[in-house]
Amino acid sequence: MTAGDPAAVAARLRESGCVFAEDEARLLIAEAADPELLADLVERRCTGAPLEHVLGWAEFRGLRLAVAPGVFVPRLRTEFLVECLLAELPAAGCVLDLCCGCGAIGAAVRAARPDVLVHAVDVDARAVACAEQNLGPGRVHHGDLFTPLPGELRGAVDVVVANAPYVPSAALPTMPAEARLHEPRAALDGGADGTGVQRRIVAAAPNWLRPGGRLLLETSAEQSTLLVAELEQAGLDCAVVRDADLEATVVIGRRRGSAAQP
Ligand code: GLN
């Protein structure tokens, strides 16, 4: 391969099964400071690493976000979750992003609404390190769901949002190899019916939301009924919204009451 020759890089990528070989060649060439590094990046991509892990960044809602190997790569469909969130968010509101991965949701919210305060949590230290790069230090917490959060957030959060793992365990083998082999299982595996982590979020969220606050969860169309039942049981008013083009489904819960009259 001639170093830095886009046609040669694209040919190598296509040979190994990359569909968007020209686009990827352009990105990899732009990323590599020297021919040796380029050869290394191309090799990693050709042996199956996700493009975003090879580049070290992912695009999400027009932002370029750090995403390291071993960290969940933000999906295009999750931009719909951000749209829904922005529509529900009061001025200078407080957002809590659980299972934040590289912090894509929080970073996109902050880019659109710099007035907003974002706290983010992830159980995986590699994800927390990326989220700190994308969100800045101080607001990213390492631990299980609500556990590492400062107590003063109790009853004070305007929106709890999560793209928690929701793939049913039995469906994991049907996921693309890039996800199965290069993303942590804990970021994908939602247990027997896919709602294992989400149920724990739903059960605890009312303690952290202010009255009238919202809980937004990305889910699949099939699982949304299960999740709605769970939210209703937790005493939240519920709505399900979809974006057919992005194949995105979001369940929105509202804690009853209002900030003025709890
Ligand atoms: N369906 C999602 C995907 O794109 C699953 C992600 C998740 O579990 N949060 O891979």
Side-chain angles (χ1 to χ4, degrees), residues 61 63 82 85-86 89 93 95 103-119 131 134-137 139-140:
R61 240 177 154 259
L63 301 175
V82 174
L85 192 169
L86 291 172
L89 195 56
V95 174
I105 295 172
V109 168
R110 282 263 298 276
R113 294 277 302 275
D115 56 306
V116 160
L117 176 67
V118 172
H119 283 270
N134 294 321
L135 285 168
R139 303 260 181 255
V140 186

Side-chain angles (χ1 to χ4, degrees), residues 57-212:
W57 56 266
E59 192 181 319
F60 186 74
R61 240 177 154 259
L63 301 175
R64 192 177 272 213
L65 300 174
V67 58
V71 176
F72 181 82
V73 176
R75 311 289 202 258
L76 182 60
R77 71 163 58 82
T78 304
E79 294 190 0
F80 181 61
L81 180 60
V82 174
E83 299 306 325
C84 298
L85 192 169
L86 291 172
E88 302 285 347
L89 195 56
C94 173
V95 174
L96 173 56
D97 178 10
L98 298 174
C99 310
C100 71
C102 75
I105 295 172
V109 168
R110 282 263 298 276
R113 294 277 302 275
D115 56 306
V116 160
L117 176 67
V118 172
H119 283 270
V121 183
D122 204 280
V123 74
D124 187 316
R126 291 167 302 180
V128 168
C130 279
E132 277 182 340
Q133 283 184 59
N134 294 321
L135 285 168
R139 303 260 181 255
V140 186
H141 311 271
H142 182 201
D144 181 48
L145 302 182
F146 300 90
T147 318
L149 290 169
E152 77 243 25
L153 289 181
R154 266 180 195 274
V157 177
D158 292 287
V159 178
V160 173
V161 62
N163 177 16
Y166 61 82
V167 181
S169 305
L172 288 172
T174 68
M175 292 195 81
E178 288 185 7
R180 272 189 292 111
L181 305 178
H182 296 276
E183 293 183 321
R185 184 176 174 132
L188 303 169
D189 190 346
D193 67 2
T195 65
V197 180
Q198 292 171 328
R199 281 173 202 266
R200 293 173 52 223
I201 294 174
V202 173
N207 301 329
W208 296 84
L209 288 171
R210 66 160 172 80

Side-chain angles (χ1 to χ4, degrees), residues 28 31 40-42 44-45 49-57 69:
L28 292 168
E31 202 60 39
D40 177 50
L41 298 185
V42 172
R44 283 171 57 200
R45 180 62 183 134
L51 178 67
E52 293 83 353
H53 286 169
V54 177
L55 294 171
W57 56 266

